[in-house]
Amino acid sequence: MKDIVTGAEALMRSLEHEGVKTIFGYPGGSIMPVFDALYDHRHTLDHILVRHEQGATHAAQGFARVSGEVGVCLVTSGPGATNTITGIADAMIDSTPIVVIAGQVGTGFLGTDAFQEVDLVGVTQPISKWSYQIRRAEDVAWAVARAFYIARSGRPGPVVLDFAKNAQTDKTEYAPATVDFIRSYQPVPDMDMEAVRQAADLINAAERPLVLVGQGVELGNAQAELRAFIEKAGLPAGRTLLGLSALPSGHPLNKGMLGMHGNLGPNINTNKCDVLIAVGMRFDDRVTGNVDTYAKQARIIHFDIDPAEINKNIKADVAVLGDCKETLPAVTELLQPATHREWLDSFRVYEEVEEEKVIRPELQRPAGRELSMGEVVRAVSEATGNDAILVTDVGQNQMMSARYFKYTRERSIVTSGGLGTMGFGLPAAIGATFGRPDRTVCVFMGDGGLQMNLQELGTVMEQQAPVKMILLNNNYLGNVRQWQAMFFNRRYSFTPMLNPDYRQIAAAYGIPSRRVTERGDLPSAVSEMLAAEGPFLLEVCVEEEGNVMPMTPPGGSVNQMLLEC
């Protein structure tokens, strides 16, 4: 005989059926029956009380990105629900699987402008894979199963369940549900063997091939397949921001980061290659620069799971649709072994120029010069054996971290790519510590981004989440200031920041901290931070007007990178 339970209890059992163990959330009136049911499941469902609902979504993102599982948020209606919007949009554009469950007023009050009523389905439909309102208790198990299937299948993304209060309290027969098929929804396109052959033919005939590695490789767990692909044919590879850890930093075919603040070699050679092979990336404008001058000389092969990305920004000569864990080996099997030695050597010229003009001046400062962001990042990376998970906020701290951190393991970078959400870093890092408690999690933040979700230090305190927080404090909204310096005649309009004493704030939350102003103190401070069993805040006062270089100016061609401000 089936159990008769409330809709709230059905939700708890459905989440357990999906394998959920961790939930990030914040209670309120319209979700209170669910939280009451959660009280009886608190030994199997670990609820992390955040301090703001936006923090819940970013924590769920961080959890999902490092674990490969679906992140879960639980919030109330009205402002609780609308506070998740930024995280939902962020997860959508960065293909992060999360399920947001929000309370809603009872169905009898819908459309009456009742207290804390918001049309959450209408608001989130454009920024989610699926948004659905649960109005009946009997629909809970089905809706949860469908939500998790959609969130994790194909190109992952966020799903929103708007849970009416009467559906939480009404009774229903409960039986676990499983969804593995939805009519008209094809999460993974069928592989076209003719496209596979065409791609292999183009690569075999190429003299100057270049692979662009995106996050799709990580999402598809195709890191080994990628290595086999590039190693067999001697294919140099550049990585997007979100794809940085798909290939170890030390791999001989890894030629660096693509994009506006990427490395010279892969950016310049994008406009010199004869075959450009994009794997699980969407040709974002920060990667392409001016699309009218982007790789016009090259034949373009695009591997992707999402047909909507094909020809959206850059026209492909061959589109290899499907899961790259399957399509990459299919193409690899048809490749002829090659080395492309002369082409690979061409990257060294750019590496030497960048080393002399950018990297060495950033990392090897003479005595008396202020600390640079890059040298702090590199010091932390090396102190972890280049084995930590990097989480970043958004801005100069993000670009410097991406450039100077090193990656040895997969799923080792968590950052807000497409939406560029300031305030992302701290809550995402909290989530990452729950997603991979076996790994060190280091989050780099600027003084601007940290203050956008500063309240999540309360979550760190309560959970003793072992987040290693590195604050690169330059007393500016640094990225905007850099653009003002380069393109607005140094008119620093509202970018200087008067900052609080962050060590006192950390102390108020019971979090140990240290402030570094001198280069000689950095190694011991980093060691102290990493040796701490729980959380630690390391504030490093860096040069105020440091710039992230190289840089492709906005609207510029990808091969026209500036080496100095």
Side-chain angles (χ1 to χ4, degrees), residues 93-381:
I93 198 166
D94 281 352
S95 304
T96 306
I98 64 172
V99 172
V100 176
I101 303 164
Q104 180 58 278
V105 301
T107 55
F109 292 96
L110 291 172
T112 68
D113 290 332
F115 179 67
Q116 293 191 334
E117 179 194 0
V118 168
D119 180 6
L120 186 62
V121 171
V123 170
T124 58
Q125 274 183 336
I127 55 170
S128 63
K129 283 190 74 177
W130 186 51
S131 187
Y132 179 76
Q133 188 172 78
I134 303 174
R135 298 187 177 192
R136 306 185 308 165
E138 52 263 45
D139 294 335
V140 171
W142 167 85
V144 171
R146 184 181 174 103
F148 275 79
Y149 174 65
I150 292 173
R152 64 164 64 102
S153 61
R155 181 180 181 176
V159 170
V160 177
L161 293 178
D162 192 36
F163 200 179
K165 196 166 185 178
N166 61 285
Q168 300 172 39
T169 56
D170 288 349
K171 298 289 187 70
T172 185
E173 288 186 349
Y174 174 77
T178 299
V179 172
D180 55 15
F181 171 78
I182 297 174
R183 186 166 55 88
S184 79
Y185 172 58
Q186 186 179 9
V188 181
D190 295 330
M191 184 164 50
D192 181 350
M193 289 308 300
E194 179 58 29
V196 167
R197 284 188 287 271
Q198 290 176 7
D201 289 344
L202 280 179
I203 296 169
N204 286 332
E207 295 181 359
R208 301 181 306 282
L210 177 61
V211 179
L212 312 183
V213 179
Q215 188 193 198
V217 173
E218 297 263 60
L219 296 174
N221 297 311
Q223 299 88 348
E225 289 77 8
L226 172 72
R227 289 195 297 272
F229 172 70
I230 65 174
E231 288 167 2
K232 183 175 183 180
L235 306 172
R239 303 158 299 159
T240 68
L241 175 64
L242 296 184
L244 281 173
S245 62
L247 192 64
S249 298
H251 194 287
L253 292 171
N254 179 1
K255 298 304 172 185
M257 185 171 79
L258 300 159
M260 177 176 279
H261 290 293
N263 296 107
L264 282 179
N267 278 307
I268 292 177
N269 277 345
T270 292
N271 277 11
K272 291 187 176 182
C273 66
D274 58 359
V275 175
L276 190 68
I277 308 146
V279 184
M281 56 88 72
R282 58 188 180 84
F283 289 109
D284 175 75
D285 61 289
R286 287 297 175 95
V287 166
T288 64
N290 186 348
V291 295
D292 293 333
T293 58
Y294 183 79
K296 293 300 181 183
Q297 79 294 337
R299 303 291 297 276
I300 293 175
I301 302 167
H302 195 170
F303 288 78
D304 212 286
I305 200 169
D306 186 357
E309 291 298 337
I310 304 300
N311 299 327
K312 185 178 81 174
N313 296 325
I314 299 296
K315 189 179 186 310
D317 293 281
V318 177
V320 184
L321 285 168
D323 187 336
C324 60
K325 195 170 182 66
E326 299 174 357
T327 56
L328 280 173
V331 173
T332 302
E333 186 176 355
L334 302 178
L335 294 183
Q336 299 167 1
T339 59
H340 300 292
R341 198 171 305 279
E342 185 176 343
W343 171 237
L344 287 170
D345 287 344
S346 73
F347 286 84
R348 294 180 186 169
V349 176
Y350 304 116
E351 289 167 359
E352 290 170 0
V353 170
E354 188 172 351
E355 179 71 27
E356 177 186 353
K357 300 288 188 181
V358 178
I359 297 175
R360 195 177 299 129
E362 181 70 26
L363 299 183
Q364 299 177 13
R365 293 295 177 96
R369 286 284 304 276
E370 294 173 291
L371 280 159
S372 73
M373 289 178 278
E375 67 179 310
V376 177
V377 172
R378 181 59 58 86
V380 173
S381 181

Side-chain angles (χ1 to χ4, degrees), residues 469 501-508 510-516 525 528-529 532 535-539:
M469 298 168 276
D501 186 329
Y502 292 104
R503 291 201 65 191
Q504 288 193 44
I505 293 174
I511 297 172
S513 67
R514 186 165 167 182
R515 178 183 293 125
V516 172
E528 181 183 351
M529 174 184 70
F536 194 97
L537 174 66
L538 175 60
E539 178 186 2

Side-chain angles (χ1 to χ4, degrees), residues 488-549:
F488 292 88
N489 299 315
R490 298 187 179 273
R491 289 160 56 88
Y492 294 162
S493 180
F494 300 99
T495 47
M497 293 195 73
L498 178 63
N499 280 309
D501 186 329
Y502 292 104
R503 291 201 65 191
Q504 288 193 44
I505 293 174
Y509 285 102
I511 297 172
S513 67
R514 186 165 167 182
R515 178 183 293 125
V516 172
T517 59
E518 301 295 331
R519 182 168 287 105
D521 296 331
L522 182 62
S524 64
V526 171
S527 296
E528 181 183 351
M529 174 184 70
L530 295 176
E533 290 188 10
F536 194 97
L537 174 66
L538 175 60
E539 178 186 2
V540 185
C541 298
V542 296
E543 61 178 331
E544 290 196 344
E545 297 194 37
N547 294 314
V548 187
M549 306 304 287

Side-chain angles (χ1 to χ4, degrees), residues 376-399:
V376 177
V377 172
R378 181 59 58 86
V380 173
S381 181
E382 291 179 348
T384 67
N386 300 318
D387 194 48
I389 290 172
L390 168 69
V391 184
T392 85
D393 207 85
V394 168
Q396 288 184 316
N397 66 88
Q398 177 186 36
M399 293 295 100

